[in-house]
Amino acid sequence: MIKENAEVVVVGGGVIGVSLAYGMVKKGAKVILIDKVDNRLTASRGNFGLVWFQGKGKGMPRYVEWCIEAIERWPEFAENLETETGFNLNYEKTGGLEICLGEEEHQERVNFIEEMSQASRSGRYDCEMISRKELQGMLPKIKLGKEVSGASFCSHDGCVNPLNLLKAMNSSFQQKGGSFRPEQSVQKIECSSNDFKIETGTHSFNAEKLVIACGLMTTKLARMVGMKVSVIPERGQILVTERTSRVFNYPTAGIRQNYDGSFMLGSSHEAVGYNIETSYEVLQNIAKRAIRILPSLKNLQLIRSWAALRVLTPDQKPVYLESDQYPGAHAITSHSGVSLASIHSSILVEWILEERIPLGFTAFHPKRFNVQEAI
Amino acid sequence: MAAAITARTHGLSVLVLDEQPSAGGQIFRNIESLEATRNSEFSKLGQEYEFGSSLVRRFKKCGADYFTDRSVWQIDNNLQIHHVSASASKSNSVISHCQAKRLLIAVGAMERPMPLPGWTIPGVMPCTAVDVLYKSSGLIPDGEVVLAGSGPLLLLIGCRLLDVGVHVSAFLDTSMNGALLKALPLLPNALRSHKYLTRGLSLLWKIRKAGIPFYSGIQNIEALGASKLEKVRIGKSGKFFDVTADLLLLHNGVVPNVQITRNLGCEHRWYDVQRYWEPIVDDWGNTSVDHVSIAGDCGRVAGAAISEVSGHLAALETVYQLGVISKVERDNLSQPHRIELARQKHVRPFLDKLFQPSKTWLVPENDKTLACRCEEVKVSEIRETVRMGIKDPDSLKSMTRCGMGYCQARMCGLTVSEIIAEEKKISPEEIGYFRVRSPIIPITLGQLAEID
Amino acid sequence: MFKKQYESHETVSIIFEGKNLDVEIGQTVASALLVGGNMVFRSSVVSGQPRGPYCMMGVCFECLIEIDGIPNQRACMIPVREAMKIKRQQKNKE
């Protein structure tokens, strides 16, 4: 058994784990980051790369504010990473669209934006409806389909290269003295009064603080340190086309044109367990919708498809928890790890290292699910 | 073709989907046209060709539905097959579907990619490319040709080139030192069918007799040229020298084309002697996926004669599985094929061992060499990523883009298997392979959506 | 480079990079261009390096070329047709 010590051990090498580890070494902490052996099912590697808040947080105003704050921090966060590592994140904060087909979708969207604006306590919920005409005006190089009725536009939204983000954070983490230990799957966690001993097959890691941010495995590991965190997998399928000249300069949740010119099209939301197969029907539906929105896409060649599993809490909003039974152990799970990377690496790190609890933080406690169950 | 013939003999309805414009596969490419319009060349191709021609004739008469120019791009779990024209302009060819009860995959083999510095320069090609051009289009190389690699196919093609007057300016033999010695234990078997051996040896003798500069024990080959190939730099025993070349023809063995069997989720094993992936099958070609079998060189590579036999056997199995004949009848009908198989099969182990690909040419030492041609991912990037702790091909793919291009890892899959295996000091079998997803070949979004 | 080993039979006229080319019926776009001495079909989308046909059997996707305005067609799989317009593909401009 190889023994290693640190102030903090972070379990989980995906976007959330790495952003936390990165933020911590920037504060001078000694951190070991562990990543599991089988990397196939990770949400971080099967990611659309949106840096987004439009449409998030319905029913949890605190989360809406959290997302807005994350987005506001993103440009500086990206710049720092690029300067530190030389990786190009291709972060584009152009504003983002949700395009509506037909009148019913349009009305639904209008209602939604209205509700979100009213619920936003800070008044910072900044998203507006635009007409079909205005939308076409924003897209001079490509024609909208006949059924496009309009869109919602949020100037804060954008997109990034999610893989470069992961690589950059990991690289900077290591450059600043962090220890990255891949191919380590946690088998046992021993808790004593002042530290945690995390055992994998070959290593034993000792630390005062423990952060569990390992996606779908969070439930199992959190239980080892007295925390109840439930997450379920949700499959999303994506199509990727050949590269073509750039004509679509705003990301949407279902269509974006990457920096290299290829289009990524999605998505689906399927409860199929731990299954990352692609299916003809779903891919066909994605293609059909994309063509209804942008008819000229029909001539683009599809090169590949993929599927990945999202990690979802019962209300699809973050869970940030410290163990009551074993203080010092934390569990962090969230959808939107990319969008929240800027705030995870700053405010959440302050919570973990310095016990600075953000305002309204109890909103993220999983006891909110008990309340819902009671009702 | 053999499978179709046998299946039809027992009354099954058979549909054959062929990506090429006419029957014959790779070995008998364009054979009908060759026989009809270029008969003098046809007769030079040898006795096997007469045989191939008769097979094609029998196939054409057997009553199978035969669709040429069809590429399969998706196969559903229930064996619904989606296919599209291989050659029509993408935007105006329509998708078709068909439903099968049983599926036989007989897509054949391809050349093992032989990555070396400069291998993406126009003018560098696998040696079978000239075979295709010769048979399908009547083209022969014009200018200086360098042959490099090892294996009987390279020798055969080398001889054909000499026969038609092509100027071969060098033959670079990359076969492993001591290969003949290693293969000797298998020699008695091989000698039962000595004509293979003697033919191979005579090809070698012919090339040497023609006075072509012949270099063995080559350690480095680099292709050089601005917009197309200009010369080949050869390294042997620490010394380097250049040879002018317009065409560099490479060969490092033939490997099964596993794209479709991978896509279907069939189990594969690593065949270590010849360093390739092959689908795991029983004696009848059944894969691990229900109702899916294979025949021919898309499984263990064994050449035309055995491919044909395996086709008959797979068809008999299908006929039995569909309830048309009994197990006993199947076994009886298979007897002559099994005898033929036994007769032909013994030489293969010898050839496989004799022409084992050498490590130098499987895992490029020169880090600048492109492992992935489509996305231009260097060997060095792959090594670095593996050292970061990534050892499964799909994660490697996300991190480096290797395998994301048009060819969907057909050209880099084996190289990646070898690099990861070398870095982690484990067998490729423990590493696994990329997940091969639909579309098996690119189709347009409009075709997927099935709109005009 | 390549040359025809025997006399051409029927030909069609295609247009490559704006110039007329007489090619034999039954040739693929790839073989037709190779016979004319054209080895470079495109510039790579990643770095712009020149690329041309490699495997000639449809598995490598190196011979991608623009035919009648539609890019990324496998030249080795497509037979020539009268008045076909063929153009090399350049790396997309950002």
Side-chain angles (χ1 to χ4, degrees), chain B residues 14 110 123 147 149 233 243 262 288 313 339 365 377 436 440:
Chain B
V14 177
M110 56 182 225
L147 297 166
R233 181 156 295 160
V243 170
R262 282 284 184 193
S288 61
L313 289 172
I339 291 169
E365 270 171 26
V377 183
V436 175
I440 294 166

Side-chain angles (χ1 to χ4, degrees), chain B residues 257-448:
Chain B
N257 183 343
V258 297
Q259 200 74 357
I260 293 184
T261 45
R262 282 284 184 193
N263 176 264
L264 285 168
C266 301
E267 277 170 41
H268 289 70
R269 80 156 78 83
W270 180 255
Y271 176 44
D272 202 53
V273 174
Q274 274 289 307
R275 308 293 292 182
Y276 59 62
W277 293 101
E278 57 182 15
I280 296 176
V281 291
D282 64 13
D283 285 340
W284 300 96
N286 290 310
T287 67
S288 61
V289 172
D290 284 341
H291 314 301
V292 175
S293 53
I294 62 152
D297 285 353
C298 66
R300 177 72 59 91
V301 176
I306 296 180
S307 292
E308 196 190 322
V309 169
S310 72
H312 288 300
L313 289 172
L316 283 173
E317 170 68 0
T318 295
V319 172
Y320 156 64
Q321 287 287 346
L322 289 173
V324 174
I325 57 175
S326 71
K327 201 168 194 178
V328 171
E329 285 173 292
R330 176 200 70 175
D331 292 345
N332 288 339
L333 289 165
S334 74
Q335 277 313 306
H337 299 300
R338 296 254 174 237
I339 291 169
E340 183 61 25
L341 203 63
R343 221 175 58 79
Q344 300 273 0
K345 222 167 182 182
H346 53 269
V347 80
R348 207 68 215 187
F350 181 75
L351 288 177
D352 280 358
K353 203 111 193 160
L354 179 62
F355 293 108
Q356 263 184 295
S358 75
K359 195 150 167 289
T360 321
W361 305 101
L362 294 171
V363 183
E365 270 171 26
N366 185 326
D367 265 356
K368 286 182 318 175
T369 307
L370 293 182
C372 169
R373 297 174 61 110
C374 299
E375 295 290 325
E376 295 188 40
V377 183
K378 297 195 194 93
V379 170
S380 58
E381 285 173 64
I382 299 192
R383 282 200 218 275
E384 271 159 34
T385 307
V386 175
R387 285 173 195 166
M388 257 176 58
I390 309 279
K391 80 161 189 265
D392 83 274
D394 281 322
S395 298
L396 187 80
K397 179 174 171 176
S398 330
M399 298 305 264
T400 62
R401 296 193 62 85
C402 175
M404 285 191 182
Y406 273 93
C407 91
Q408 292 292 288
R410 286 168 174 89
M411 294 287 113
C412 62
L414 281 172
T415 308
V416 165
S417 298
E418 295 283 2
I419 295 175
I420 301 177
E422 187 196 54
E423 286 289 319
K424 306 304 283 185
K425 304 203 185 340
I426 54 181
S427 143
E429 192 138 328
E430 290 174 68
I431 293 164
Y433 193 73
F434 297 101
R435 191 179 196 107
V436 175
R437 295 193 189 266
S438 182
I440 294 166
I441 53 120
I443 54 163
T444 64
L445 285 171
Q447 285 169 330
L448 172 57

Side-chain angles (χ1 to χ4, degrees), chain A residues 145 286-295 297-298, chain B residues 445-446 449 451:
Chain A
I286 292 172
K288 283 182 172 160
R289 186 176 171 92
I291 291 170
R292 286 165 75 197
I293 296 174
L294 299 172
L297 290 183
K298 73 176 163 67
Chain B
L445 285 171
I451 56 163

Side-chain angles (χ1 to χ4, degrees), chain B residues 19 38 41 87 89 91 119-120 123-124 126 129 133-134 137-140 142 164 227 373 376 406 410, chain C residues 1-6 27 31 35 39-40 44 47 49-51 53-54 56 59 62 70 72 74 77-78:
Chain B
E19 211 181 21
R38 285 158 59 192
E41 289 157 58
S87 70
S89 173
S91 65
W119 72 308
T120 51
V124 181
L133 286 167
Y134 179 66
S137 312
L139 300 190
I140 57 172
D142 186 20
V164 294
S227 61
R373 297 174 61 110
E376 295 188 40
Y406 273 93
R410 286 168 174 89
Chain C
M1 34 245 219
F2 289 85
K3 62 185 180 194
K4 278 310 290 285
Q5 204 202 8
Y6 57 90
Q27 296 281 341
S31 59
V35 116
M39 301 288 289
V40 179
S44 153
S47 71
Q49 56 175 232
R51 293 293 181 96
Y54 181 75
M56 296 305 300
V59 295
E62 287 285 356
I70 300 169
N72 298 315
R74 276 184 299 181
M77 301 294 288
I78 298 174

Side-chain angles (χ1 to χ4, degrees), chain B residues 29-71:
Chain B
R29 206 176 239 275
N30 204 27
I31 197 169
E32 289 164 291
S33 174
L34 275 172
E35 196 179 15
T37 62
R38 285 158 59 192
N39 204 271
S40 58
E41 289 157 58
F42 175 79
S43 42
K44 272 193 234 156
L45 290 165
Q47 200 187 37
E48 279 155 1
Y49 263 67
E50 303 251 346
F51 193 69
S53 195
S54 121
L55 182 63
V56 171
R57 272 195 294 275
R58 283 181 287 139
F59 167 61
K60 289 296 192 67
K61 283 199 302 226
C62 77
D65 286 326
Y66 177 47
F67 295 175
T68 56
D69 181 49
R70 301 311 287 177
S71 288

Side-chain angles (χ1 to χ4, degrees), chain A residues 242-245 259-260 301, chain C residues 45-46 71-73 92 94:
Chain A
E242 57 183 337
R243 292 164 167 102
T244 184
S245 49
Y259 190 72
D260 67 10
Q301 284 187 60
Chain C
V45 289
V46 179
N72 298 315
Q73 310 281 306
N92 290 319
E94 302 302 337

